[in-house]
Amino acid sequence: MPDGRRGGPTLGTVAPADAYAPDSHPEQTAFLQGPLSLNVGAVGRDGWPCVCRAQGVVVARDRRSLTVLLSASHGRAVLEALDTGSAITLVVSRPATHATLQLKATRAVRVG
């Protein structure tokens, strides 16, 4: 949740329709548990890609969407791209094994 500090966390929810289908891929939910490296990518208004690290990911109770925690200061370019309707990608990696999962959505909704 936003903590009110300048540069504090901002939440963005990945749209469920394209990115996350836990009923058909329950192993994705299991993969999102534990120590992870998270990166979020989008396309800026100028057409260039922008990327930032995410601080966390939360699976919704109904398992139909994800909430991705981004830094408002470090993720400014990604957040601005999402505000203008950019598609989004979340790359989740387990550092110990380098196993990686990439989730994509055609849109995301900023919630904080």
Side-chain angles (χ1 to χ4, degrees):
M1 305 204 180
D3 64 6
R5 293 179 297 177
R6 185 171 183 201
T10 298
L11 297 176
T13 302
V14 176
D18 334 41
Y20 196 62
D23 295 337
S24 60
H25 301 287
E27 65 276 3
Q28 289 179 355
T29 299
F31 189 90
L32 294 172
Q33 308 302 311
L36 300 170
S37 173
L38 305 160
N39 289 286
V40 177
V43 178
R45 205 178 290 202
D46 58 4
W48 286 89
C50 48
V51 179
C52 73
R53 284 203 174 276
Q55 281 67 46
V57 62
V58 178
V59 179
R61 285 185 192 255
D62 66 4
R63 302 166 98 187
R64 296 187 56 194
S65 66
L66 302 174
T67 299
V68 181
L69 185 64
L70 303 177
S71 165
S73 59
H74 295 277
R76 184 180 328 268
V78 170
L79 291 169
E80 288 174 0
L82 297 176
D83 287 344
T84 62
S86 172
I88 183 173
T89 186
L90 173 65
V91 179
V92 183
S93 179
R94 289 191 173 179
T97 63
H98 301 290
T100 302
L101 174 65
Q102 184 177 31
L103 301 171
K104 296 181 179 184
T106 57
R107 64 184 175 84
V109 178
R110 186 167 165 177
V111 296

XYZ file of all heavy atoms in Angstrom:
811
model
N 0.829 -1.173 0.000
C 0.000 0.000 0.000
C 0.876 1.240 0.000
O 1.950 1.218 0.566
C -0.899 0.007 1.217
C -1.718 -1.231 1.316
S -3.195 -0.965 2.276
C -3.818 -2.602 2.129
N 0.402 2.292 -0.605
C 1.202 3.506 -0.603
C 1.502 3.947 0.822
O 0.638 3.908 1.687
C 0.314 4.520 -1.322
C -0.616 3.700 -2.146
C -0.824 2.438 -1.373
N 2.746 4.330 1.065
C 3.105 4.682 2.428
C 3.176 6.186 2.639
O 3.530 6.625 3.724
C 4.419 4.015 2.826
C 5.602 4.491 2.005
O 5.471 5.410 1.191
O 6.679 3.931 2.192
N 2.867 6.979 1.635
C 2.802 8.412 1.794
C 4.138 9.128 1.695
O 4.186 10.330 1.609
N 5.255 8.407 1.709
C 6.557 9.059 1.591
C 6.855 9.344 0.136
O 6.444 8.608 -0.746
C 7.660 8.149 2.142
C 7.547 7.933 3.627
C 8.629 7.024 4.085
N 8.432 5.735 3.419
C 9.249 4.710 3.557
N 10.309 4.793 4.302
N 9.011 3.578 2.944
N 7.598 10.396 -0.108
C 8.002 10.695 -1.476
C 8.850 9.547 -1.991
O 9.794 9.121 -1.351
C 8.794 11.985 -1.497
C 9.130 12.386 -2.896
C 9.704 13.750 -2.938
N 9.924 14.047 -4.345
C 10.756 14.942 -4.762
N 11.425 15.665 -3.919
N 10.912 15.142 -6.043
N 8.498 9.050 -3.160
C 9.225 7.925 -3.730
C 8.833 6.602 -3.125
O 9.431 5.582 -3.394
N 7.810 6.603 -2.284
C 7.350 5.368 -1.658
C 6.666 4.471 -2.662
O 6.483 4.828 -3.828
N 6.253 3.306 -2.236
C 5.654 2.339 -3.145
C 4.350 2.824 -3.764
O 3.593 3.548 -3.143
C 5.402 1.123 -2.259
C 6.100 1.356 -0.999
C 6.370 2.812 -0.883
N 4.120 2.404 -4.969
C 2.867 2.630 -5.670
C 2.428 1.275 -6.202
O 3.249 0.499 -6.677
C 3.064 3.604 -6.843
O 3.488 4.857 -6.306
C 1.784 3.807 -7.621
N 1.142 0.988 -6.129
C 0.646 -0.301 -6.598
C 0.098 -0.190 -8.003
O -0.518 0.805 -8.358
C -0.459 -0.810 -5.677
C -0.066 -1.088 -4.250
C -1.302 -1.498 -3.456
C 0.989 -2.155 -4.176
N 0.285 -1.233 -8.800
C -0.322 -1.326 -10.110
C -0.854 -2.733 -10.289
O -0.178 -3.679 -9.953
N -2.059 -2.889 -10.754
C -2.653 -4.204 -10.916
C -2.580 -4.626 -12.376
O -3.038 -3.907 -13.251
C -4.126 -4.194 -10.470
O -4.170 -3.783 -9.111
C -4.744 -5.574 -10.596
N -2.031 -5.779 -12.620
C -1.953 -6.326 -13.974
C -3.326 -6.844 -14.369
O -3.961 -7.562 -13.606
C -0.920 -7.470 -14.036
C -0.914 -8.102 -15.406
C 0.449 -6.963 -13.668
N -3.783 -6.464 -15.548
C -5.088 -6.917 -16.029
C -5.112 -8.437 -16.132
O -4.194 -9.036 -16.678
C -5.378 -6.289 -17.388
N -6.136 -9.090 -15.639
C -6.157 -10.538 -15.563
C -6.395 -11.272 -16.867
O -5.932 -12.376 -17.047
C -7.310 -10.818 -14.599
C -8.213 -9.652 -14.724
C -7.302 -8.485 -15.018
N -7.114 -10.677 -17.808
C -7.548 -11.423 -18.982
C -6.401 -11.987 -19.799
O -6.481 -13.103 -20.289
C -8.428 -10.545 -19.860
N -5.315 -11.225 -19.957
C -4.236 -11.695 -20.812
C -3.093 -12.314 -20.031
O -2.342 -13.107 -20.571
C -3.596 -10.565 -21.619
C -4.461 -9.400 -21.887
O -5.193 -8.990 -20.996
O -4.372 -8.897 -23.000
N -2.904 -11.899 -18.808
C -1.660 -12.233 -18.133
C -1.731 -13.435 -17.232
O -0.747 -14.126 -17.066
C -1.195 -11.033 -17.301
N -2.863 -13.692 -16.649
C -2.859 -14.643 -15.552
C -4.089 -15.520 -15.599
O -5.207 -15.031 -15.483
C -2.802 -13.860 -14.234
C -2.415 -14.710 -13.067
C -1.182 -15.330 -13.025
C -3.286 -14.895 -12.013
C -0.829 -16.111 -11.955
C -2.935 -15.674 -10.935
C -1.707 -16.273 -10.911
O -1.351 -17.057 -9.852
N -3.895 -16.779 -15.810
C -4.993 -17.734 -15.864
C -4.690 -18.897 -14.932
O -4.291 -19.968 -15.367
C -5.186 -18.220 -17.296
N -4.849 -18.711 -13.612
C -4.444 -19.732 -12.658
C -5.220 -21.031 -12.781
O -4.714 -22.081 -12.407
C -4.686 -19.079 -11.298
C -5.711 -18.042 -11.569
C -5.444 -17.562 -12.971
N -6.445 -20.981 -13.299
C -7.205 -22.217 -13.436
C -6.544 -23.167 -14.426
O -6.562 -24.374 -14.253
C -8.644 -21.921 -13.872
C -9.397 -21.143 -12.809
O -9.004 -21.214 -11.628
O -10.357 -20.452 -13.163
N -5.949 -22.608 -15.474
C -5.293 -23.458 -16.461
C -3.814 -23.658 -16.159
O -3.195 -24.550 -16.717
C -5.469 -22.868 -17.864
O -4.903 -21.581 -17.922
N -3.232 -22.813 -15.279
C -1.813 -22.915 -14.949
C -1.582 -22.730 -13.447
O -1.004 -21.736 -13.020
C -1.012 -21.862 -15.721
C -1.137 -21.982 -17.204
N -0.529 -22.983 -17.913
C -1.814 -21.231 -18.102
C -0.820 -22.843 -19.197
N -1.603 -21.792 -19.331
N -2.018 -23.679 -12.617
C -1.848 -23.515 -11.169
C -0.386 -23.442 -10.748
O -0.066 -22.873 -9.701
C -2.546 -24.730 -10.570
C -2.643 -25.721 -11.676
C -2.687 -24.927 -12.952
N 0.512 -23.953 -11.568
C 1.939 -23.885 -11.224
C 2.453 -22.446 -11.241
O 3.445 -22.125 -10.597
C 2.783 -24.777 -12.129
C 2.827 -24.390 -13.582
C 1.662 -24.891 -14.420
O 0.724 -25.515 -13.897
O 1.689 -24.641 -15.635
N 1.765 -21.537 -11.980
C 2.162 -20.133 -11.972
C 1.984 -19.526 -10.578
O 2.841 -18.792 -10.104
C 1.354 -19.331 -12.987
C 1.709 -19.637 -14.413
C 0.873 -18.833 -15.399
O -0.036 -18.101 -15.018
N 1.185 -18.977 -16.666
N 0.884 -19.856 -9.921
C 0.644 -19.348 -8.574
C 1.722 -19.855 -7.628
O 2.267 -19.096 -6.820
C -0.748 -19.764 -8.068
O -1.724 -19.216 -8.947
C -0.998 -19.254 -6.663
N 2.063 -21.112 -7.720
C 3.107 -21.681 -6.866
C 4.456 -21.023 -7.144
O 5.230 -20.753 -6.221
C 3.195 -23.188 -7.078
N 4.733 -20.744 -8.399
C 6.007 -20.128 -8.778
C 6.166 -18.745 -8.146
O 7.278 -18.333 -7.812
C 6.111 -20.004 -10.300
C 7.467 -19.590 -10.785
C 8.429 -20.535 -11.079
C 7.798 -18.248 -10.939
C 9.688 -20.162 -11.523
C 9.047 -17.856 -11.381
C 9.999 -18.818 -11.668
N 5.071 -18.032 -7.967
C 5.112 -16.663 -7.449
C 5.343 -16.595 -5.934
O 5.357 -15.515 -5.357
C 3.828 -15.920 -7.818
C 3.647 -15.690 -9.315
C 2.270 -15.124 -9.610
C 4.737 -14.790 -9.866
N 5.534 -17.729 -5.296
C 5.821 -17.777 -3.863
C 7.329 -17.885 -3.663
O 8.027 -18.494 -4.445
C 5.136 -18.988 -3.223
C 3.666 -19.103 -3.507
C 2.876 -17.884 -3.069
O 3.018 -17.423 -1.948
N 2.066 -17.358 -3.961
N 7.818 -17.303 -2.595
C 9.230 -17.457 -2.262
C 10.086 -16.314 -2.746
O 9.589 -15.327 -3.287
N 11.401 -16.435 -2.582
C 12.312 -15.354 -2.991
C 12.343 -15.214 -4.511
O 12.578 -16.191 -5.222
C 13.673 -15.786 -2.441
C 13.554 -17.247 -2.192
C 12.108 -17.559 -1.985
N 12.076 -13.993 -4.973
C 11.964 -13.744 -6.406
C 12.693 -12.471 -6.800
O 12.830 -11.544 -6.005
C 10.485 -13.580 -6.797
C 9.549 -14.741 -6.523
C 8.103 -14.312 -6.730
C 9.897 -15.918 -7.409
N 13.102 -12.420 -8.041
C 13.567 -11.183 -8.674
C 12.473 -10.787 -9.649
O 12.025 -11.602 -10.464
C 14.882 -11.441 -9.419
O 15.245 -10.311 -10.162
N 11.996 -9.537 -9.555
C 10.854 -9.082 -10.340
C 11.222 -7.862 -11.171
O 11.783 -6.899 -10.643
C 9.700 -8.691 -9.408
C 9.239 -9.756 -8.417
C 8.477 -9.108 -7.282
C 8.376 -10.771 -9.125
N 10.900 -7.891 -12.452
C 11.107 -6.747 -13.338
C 9.832 -6.505 -14.130
O 9.179 -7.458 -14.572
C 12.270 -7.000 -14.294
C 13.592 -6.984 -13.575
O 14.080 -5.929 -13.197
N 14.171 -8.151 -13.349
N 9.496 -5.231 -14.304
C 8.301 -4.847 -15.045
C 8.732 -4.028 -16.246
O 9.597 -3.158 -16.137
C 7.359 -3.995 -14.159
C 6.154 -3.527 -14.948
C 6.920 -4.798 -12.954
N 8.131 -4.305 -17.392
C 8.437 -3.559 -18.602
C 7.177 -3.015 -19.243
O 6.094 -3.585 -19.105
N 7.336 -1.901 -19.941
C 6.238 -1.271 -20.679
C 6.858 -0.509 -21.846
O 8.079 -0.497 -22.014
C 5.456 -0.335 -19.761
N 6.014 0.122 -22.643
C 6.484 0.921 -23.773
C 6.078 2.367 -23.532
O 4.894 2.664 -23.353
C 5.889 0.418 -25.105
C 6.347 1.293 -26.261
C 6.271 -1.025 -25.342
N 7.066 3.248 -23.523
C 6.809 4.667 -23.282
C 6.078 5.328 -24.432
O 5.972 4.769 -25.526
N 5.602 6.515 -24.195
C 4.878 7.279 -25.207
C 5.721 7.489 -26.461
O 5.212 7.584 -27.571
C 4.495 8.635 -24.612
C 3.303 9.263 -25.243
C 2.971 10.562 -24.579
N 2.450 10.316 -23.241
C 1.700 11.160 -22.577
N 1.404 12.327 -23.104
N 1.256 10.878 -21.387
N 7.055 7.530 -26.280
C 7.973 7.731 -27.400
C 8.272 6.438 -28.165
O 9.026 6.439 -29.129
C 9.279 8.346 -26.909
C 9.976 7.494 -25.853
O 9.489 6.379 -25.543
O 11.016 7.933 -25.342
N 7.686 5.324 -27.720
C 7.886 4.048 -28.392
C 9.067 3.240 -27.889
O 9.287 2.121 -28.325
N 9.828 3.796 -26.959
C 10.981 3.098 -26.404
C 10.568 2.291 -25.173
O 9.698 2.711 -24.409
C 12.070 4.095 -26.021
C 12.774 4.632 -27.214
C 12.430 5.734 -27.939
C 13.917 4.074 -27.849
N 13.297 5.912 -28.981
C 14.229 4.902 -28.955
C 14.711 2.961 -27.595
C 15.300 4.640 -29.794
C 15.777 2.715 -28.437
C 16.058 3.538 -29.517
N 11.210 1.143 -24.971
C 10.877 0.329 -23.797
C 11.378 0.983 -22.506
O 12.366 1.717 -22.514
C 11.611 -0.991 -24.048
C 12.703 -0.655 -24.992
C 12.220 0.509 -25.811
N 10.683 0.723 -21.421
C 11.122 1.158 -20.103
C 10.946 -0.016 -19.143
O 10.010 -0.802 -19.276
C 10.372 2.396 -19.638
S 8.592 2.341 -19.827
N 11.870 -0.135 -18.217
C 11.908 -1.282 -17.304
C 12.242 -0.785 -15.911
O 13.011 0.169 -15.753
C 12.982 -2.309 -17.749
C 13.050 -3.489 -16.792
C 12.725 -2.789 -19.159
N 11.693 -1.449 -14.905
C 12.093 -1.172 -13.525
C 11.927 -2.442 -12.704
O 11.215 -3.361 -13.096
C 11.296 -0.025 -12.921
S 9.595 -0.412 -12.513
N 12.613 -2.472 -11.594
C 12.443 -3.573 -10.653
C 11.141 -3.389 -9.905
O 10.743 -2.269 -9.610
C 13.582 -3.605 -9.639
C 14.854 -4.153 -10.197
C 15.696 -4.679 -9.039
N 16.865 -5.348 -9.515
C 16.904 -6.619 -9.902
N 15.819 -7.347 -9.864
N 18.012 -7.158 -10.305
N 10.487 -4.478 -9.600
C 9.307 -4.447 -8.742
C 9.717 -4.955 -7.363
O 10.643 -5.762 -7.240
C 8.198 -5.316 -9.329
N 9.040 -4.462 -6.339
C 9.374 -4.867 -4.980
C 8.573 -6.067 -4.501
O 8.922 -6.680 -3.516
C 9.153 -3.696 -4.010
C 10.276 -2.680 -4.018
C 10.376 -1.924 -5.312
O 9.382 -1.454 -5.843
N 11.574 -1.802 -5.848
N 7.497 -6.391 -5.183
C 6.692 -7.534 -4.770
C 5.538 -7.774 -5.713
O 5.220 -6.942 -6.563
N 4.917 -8.931 -5.542
C 3.746 -9.294 -6.328
C 2.782 -10.045 -5.404
O 3.210 -10.849 -4.581
C 4.123 -10.135 -7.574
C 4.767 -11.443 -7.198
C 2.912 -10.365 -8.466
N 1.496 -9.738 -5.545
C 0.465 -10.374 -4.731
C -0.590 -10.957 -5.661
O -1.074 -10.275 -6.565
C -0.204 -9.347 -3.780
C -1.310 -9.996 -2.965
C 0.838 -8.697 -2.880
N -0.938 -12.218 -5.434
C -1.994 -12.864 -6.205
C -3.330 -12.535 -5.530
O -3.467 -12.683 -4.311
C -1.788 -14.393 -6.255
C -2.907 -15.062 -7.041
C -0.432 -14.732 -6.861
N -4.312 -12.077 -6.295
C -5.634 -11.744 -5.753
C -6.293 -12.984 -5.162
O -6.009 -14.112 -5.574
C -6.518 -11.155 -6.848
N -7.171 -12.768 -4.200
C -7.894 -13.895 -3.571
C -8.614 -14.760 -4.597
O -8.637 -15.975 -4.469
C -8.896 -13.383 -2.547
C -8.280 -12.913 -1.278
C -9.392 -12.542 -0.305
N -8.855 -11.821 0.811
C -8.690 -12.361 2.009
N -9.011 -13.603 2.220
N -8.193 -11.630 2.981
N -9.217 -14.111 -5.593
C -9.934 -14.879 -6.613
C -8.992 -15.443 -7.673
O -9.424 -16.119 -8.590
C -11.040 -14.046 -7.260
C -10.507 -12.868 -8.063
O -9.278 -12.715 -8.210
O -11.346 -12.089 -8.559
N -7.702 -15.121 -7.548
C -6.643 -15.610 -8.426
C -6.853 -15.218 -9.884
O -6.387 -15.885 -10.783
C -6.494 -17.121 -8.279
C -6.194 -17.505 -6.847
C -6.384 -18.959 -6.629
N -5.096 -19.615 -6.715
C -4.945 -20.912 -6.703
N -5.983 -21.695 -6.643
N -3.760 -21.437 -6.765
N -7.518 -14.074 -10.101
C -7.756 -13.611 -11.462
C -6.898 -12.416 -11.829
O -6.960 -11.935 -12.957
C -9.230 -13.272 -11.649
C -10.116 -14.512 -11.482
C -11.530 -14.231 -11.815
N -11.580 -13.688 -13.170
C -12.634 -13.085 -13.674
N -13.713 -12.950 -12.974
N -12.604 -12.610 -14.904
N -6.114 -11.916 -10.880
C -5.239 -10.789 -11.184
C -4.053 -10.788 -10.238
O -4.033 -11.513 -9.234
C -6.003 -9.456 -11.071
O -6.391 -9.222 -9.741
N -3.072 -9.982 -10.597
C -1.880 -9.800 -9.771
C -1.774 -8.329 -9.414
O -2.132 -7.465 -10.207
C -0.622 -10.185 -10.553
C -0.531 -11.590 -11.096
C 0.721 -11.732 -11.953
C -0.518 -12.588 -9.958
N -1.238 -8.051 -8.247
C -0.896 -6.687 -7.880
C 0.613 -6.632 -7.775
O 1.222 -7.440 -7.067
C -1.551 -6.284 -6.549
O -2.965 -6.362 -6.709
C -1.171 -4.862 -6.161
N 1.204 -5.704 -8.509
C 2.657 -5.578 -8.564
C 3.047 -4.289 -7.857
O 2.511 -3.225 -8.151
C 3.142 -5.547 -10.033
C 4.650 -5.431 -10.096
C 2.664 -6.794 -10.772
N 3.989 -4.371 -6.923
C 4.419 -3.221 -6.134
C 5.646 -2.596 -6.788
O 6.673 -3.253 -6.973
C 4.750 -3.679 -4.718
C 5.106 -2.620 -3.701
C 3.925 -1.703 -3.460
C 5.520 -3.289 -2.393
N 5.506 -1.300 -7.162
C 6.588 -0.564 -7.809
C 6.965 0.652 -6.982
O 6.121 1.233 -6.307
C 6.162 -0.062 -9.192
C 5.671 -1.075 -10.203
C 5.239 -0.352 -11.470
C 6.725 -2.097 -10.494
N 8.204 1.071 -7.077
C 8.648 2.322 -6.475
C 8.180 3.479 -7.349
O 8.402 3.466 -8.566
C 10.172 2.335 -6.373
O 10.646 3.625 -6.129
N 7.547 4.476 -6.731
C 7.056 5.621 -7.499
C 8.196 6.399 -8.137
O 8.053 6.928 -9.237
C 6.229 6.536 -6.597
N 9.357 6.467 -7.473
C 10.473 7.231 -8.048
C 11.246 6.413 -9.073
O 11.496 6.883 -10.173
C 11.400 7.732 -6.942
O 11.917 6.643 -6.203
N 11.600 5.193 -8.760
C 12.396 4.373 -9.681
C 11.553 3.851 -10.845
O 12.093 3.582 -11.917
C 13.041 3.204 -8.949
C 14.043 3.627 -7.935
N 15.341 3.930 -8.265
C 13.942 3.824 -6.602
C 15.998 4.288 -7.176
N 15.168 4.240 -6.154
N 10.255 3.716 -10.633
C 9.385 3.192 -11.678
C 8.584 4.240 -12.405
O 7.614 3.934 -13.085
N 9.003 5.497 -12.291
C 8.242 6.605 -12.873
C 7.947 6.396 -14.360
O 6.816 6.565 -14.807
C 8.978 7.925 -12.673
C 8.208 9.124 -13.176
C 8.935 10.449 -12.979
N 9.791 10.505 -11.812
C 9.405 10.938 -10.608
N 8.172 11.327 -10.433
N 10.258 10.962 -9.601
N 8.942 6.009 -15.137
C 8.735 5.843 -16.589
C 7.735 4.721 -16.875
O 6.873 4.857 -17.748
C 10.061 5.569 -17.288
N 7.837 3.626 -16.145
C 6.899 2.508 -16.338
C 5.489 2.938 -15.939
O 4.524 2.675 -16.662
C 7.347 1.261 -15.543
C 6.268 0.192 -15.554
C 8.646 0.707 -16.115
N 5.358 3.602 -14.808
C 4.040 4.040 -14.356
C 3.414 5.020 -15.344
O 2.216 4.936 -15.643
C 4.136 4.662 -12.962
C 4.465 3.665 -11.845
C 4.814 4.409 -10.567
C 3.315 2.704 -11.626
N 4.209 5.937 -15.886
C 3.690 6.877 -16.879
C 3.250 6.142 -18.141
O 2.220 6.470 -18.734
C 4.735 7.939 -17.197
C 4.931 8.938 -16.078
C 6.074 9.927 -16.322
O 6.737 9.843 -17.388
O 6.299 10.762 -15.439
N 4.021 5.143 -18.555
C 3.651 4.356 -19.736
C 2.340 3.611 -19.502
O 1.471 3.566 -20.376
C 4.770 3.376 -20.085
N 2.180 3.051 -18.310
C 0.942 2.337 -17.991
C -0.245 3.290 -17.938
O -1.348 2.940 -18.358
C 1.085 1.581 -16.668
C 2.147 0.479 -16.662
C 2.259 -0.136 -15.286
C 1.861 -0.569 -17.717
N -0.010 4.503 -17.447
C -1.083 5.502 -17.399
C -1.567 5.882 -18.792
O -2.712 6.298 -18.967
C -0.612 6.769 -16.669
C -0.497 6.572 -15.165
O -1.049 5.578 -14.636
O 0.154 7.418 -14.516
N -0.699 5.753 -19.801
C -1.092 6.088 -21.172
C -1.585 4.872 -21.953
O -1.802 4.951 -23.155
C 0.071 6.758 -21.936
O 1.155 5.848 -22.027
C 0.493 8.041 -21.261
N -1.746 3.729 -21.269
C -2.340 2.557 -21.905
C -1.370 1.537 -22.457
O -1.762 0.668 -23.231
N -0.117 1.592 -22.073
C 0.865 0.635 -22.567
C 0.539 -0.793 -22.113
O -0.043 -1.006 -21.052
C 2.261 0.994 -22.034
O 3.200 -0.023 -22.356
N 0.946 -1.741 -22.924
C 0.940 -3.134 -22.483
C 1.995 -3.273 -21.384
O 2.840 -2.388 -21.205
C 1.269 -4.047 -23.663
N 1.961 -4.370 -20.659
C 2.881 -4.574 -19.542
C 3.413 -6.004 -19.576
O 2.734 -6.914 -20.041
C 2.170 -4.295 -18.196
C 3.125 -4.424 -17.011
C 0.955 -5.182 -18.020
C 2.519 -4.006 -15.690
N 4.633 -6.154 -19.127
C 5.185 -7.489 -18.940
C 5.801 -7.559 -17.550
O 6.387 -6.587 -17.069
C 6.224 -7.853 -20.022
O 6.621 -9.201 -19.854
C 7.433 -6.946 -19.977
N 5.636 -8.685 -16.907
C 6.241 -8.952 -15.611
C 7.143 -10.168 -15.778
O 6.690 -11.228 -16.202
C 5.167 -9.226 -14.555
C 5.662 -9.683 -13.181
C 6.469 -8.572 -12.505
C 4.493 -10.115 -12.308
N 8.418 -9.988 -15.483
C 9.378 -11.089 -15.560
C 9.747 -11.461 -14.129
O 10.247 -10.637 -13.377
C 10.633 -10.700 -16.367
C 11.618 -11.859 -16.408
C 10.241 -10.275 -17.769
N 9.455 -12.695 -13.775
C 9.679 -13.201 -12.424
C 10.731 -14.293 -12.502
O 10.591 -15.239 -13.272
C 8.372 -13.778 -11.843
C 8.574 -14.249 -10.423
C 7.244 -12.769 -11.928
N 11.776 -14.156 -11.712
C 12.865 -15.123 -11.740
C 13.202 -15.570 -10.328
O 13.162 -14.769 -9.389
C 14.099 -14.486 -12.388
O 15.169 -15.391 -12.404
N 13.542 -16.837 -10.185
C 14.043 -17.356 -8.919
C 15.564 -17.319 -8.993
O 16.170 -18.084 -9.759
C 13.561 -18.781 -8.693
C 12.090 -18.827 -8.402
C 11.664 -20.165 -7.925
N 10.269 -20.097 -7.504
C 9.612 -21.119 -7.053
N 10.205 -22.294 -6.953
N 8.363 -20.976 -6.689
N 16.198 -16.443 -8.229
C 17.649 -16.270 -8.327
C 18.451 -17.553 -8.091
O 19.470 -17.760 -8.744
C 17.968 -15.232 -7.255
C 16.695 -14.473 -7.086
C 15.599 -15.485 -7.297
N 17.999 -18.400 -7.213
C 18.762 -19.607 -6.882
C 18.858 -20.577 -8.058
O 19.856 -21.288 -8.206
C 18.151 -20.305 -5.676
N 17.811 -20.613 -8.902
C 17.785 -21.589 -9.996
C 17.752 -20.945 -11.380
O 17.883 -21.644 -12.377
C 16.543 -22.486 -9.872
O 15.372 -21.666 -10.019
C 16.512 -23.219 -8.546
N 17.514 -19.650 -11.441
C 17.337 -18.905 -12.695
C 16.084 -19.322 -13.452
O 15.908 -18.938 -14.609
C 18.573 -19.020 -13.599
C 19.812 -18.511 -12.967
N 20.022 -17.177 -12.728
C 20.902 -19.171 -12.477
C 21.196 -17.024 -12.138
N 21.738 -18.209 -11.966
N 15.195 -20.092 -12.822
C 13.903 -20.402 -13.443
C 13.148 -19.089 -13.585
O 13.157 -18.251 -12.679
C 13.124 -21.382 -12.582
N 12.504 -18.895 -14.733
C 11.885 -17.607 -15.041
C 10.481 -17.799 -15.600
O 10.226 -18.731 -16.359
C 12.748 -16.839 -16.059
O 14.056 -16.681 -15.506
C 12.171 -15.479 -16.376
N 9.604 -16.899 -15.212
C 8.237 -16.867 -15.713
C 7.992 -15.461 -16.248
O 8.317 -14.475 -15.586
C 7.256 -17.175 -14.574
C 5.763 -17.053 -14.868
C 5.325 -18.090 -15.905
C 4.969 -17.214 -13.580
N 7.431 -15.361 -17.441
C 7.103 -14.057 -18.005
C 5.603 -13.991 -18.226
O 5.023 -14.859 -18.883
C 7.833 -13.817 -19.318
C 7.587 -12.435 -19.884
C 8.372 -12.170 -21.153
O 8.637 -13.069 -21.927
N 8.729 -10.915 -21.369
N 4.967 -12.970 -17.652
C 3.536 -12.746 -17.812
C 3.326 -11.444 -18.570
O 4.004 -10.448 -18.289
C 2.869 -12.668 -16.437
C 3.039 -13.899 -15.554
C 2.539 -13.617 -14.147
C 2.320 -15.090 -16.153
N 2.382 -11.432 -19.497
C 2.120 -10.235 -20.297
C 0.635 -9.905 -20.249
O -0.205 -10.783 -20.119
C 2.538 -10.459 -21.746
C 4.020 -10.680 -21.912
C 4.362 -10.873 -23.375
C 5.858 -11.061 -23.535
N 6.220 -11.145 -24.968
N 0.349 -8.624 -20.370
C -1.042 -8.161 -20.449
C -1.095 -6.977 -21.398
O -0.129 -6.232 -21.539
C -1.547 -7.756 -19.071
N -2.224 -6.800 -22.051
C -2.376 -5.678 -22.968
C -2.644 -4.367 -22.233
O -2.559 -3.305 -22.824
C -3.520 -5.925 -23.974
O -4.724 -6.168 -23.242
C -3.198 -7.101 -24.868
N -2.953 -4.443 -20.934
C -3.196 -3.240 -20.158
C -2.978 -3.542 -18.676
O -2.941 -4.688 -18.268
C -4.613 -2.718 -20.371
C -5.662 -3.689 -19.887
C -7.077 -3.205 -20.198
N -8.030 -4.234 -19.818
C -8.507 -4.397 -18.588
N -8.130 -3.599 -17.630
N -9.360 -5.348 -18.329
N -2.854 -2.476 -17.907
C -2.759 -2.572 -16.458
C -3.500 -1.388 -15.869
O -3.651 -0.346 -16.511
C -1.306 -2.567 -16.002
N -3.964 -1.536 -14.666
C -4.685 -0.471 -13.971
C -3.860 -0.052 -12.772
O -3.498 -0.867 -11.940
C -6.058 -0.967 -13.503
C -6.795 0.118 -12.736
C -6.888 -1.450 -14.681
N -3.547 1.235 -12.690
C -2.796 1.764 -11.563
C -3.753 2.001 -10.401
O -4.768 2.673 -10.567
C -2.107 3.056 -11.981
C -1.200 3.617 -10.967
C -0.369 4.683 -11.635
N 0.299 5.527 -10.674
C 1.125 6.482 -10.990
N 1.395 6.729 -12.252
N 1.703 7.203 -10.068
N -3.420 1.472 -9.231
C -4.346 1.561 -8.099
C -3.830 2.420 -6.972
O -4.456 2.512 -5.937
C -4.737 0.158 -7.574
C -5.501 -0.604 -8.621
C -3.516 -0.610 -7.100
N -2.705 3.072 -7.128
C -2.213 3.892 -6.032
C -1.429 5.071 -6.498
O -1.163 5.286 -7.626
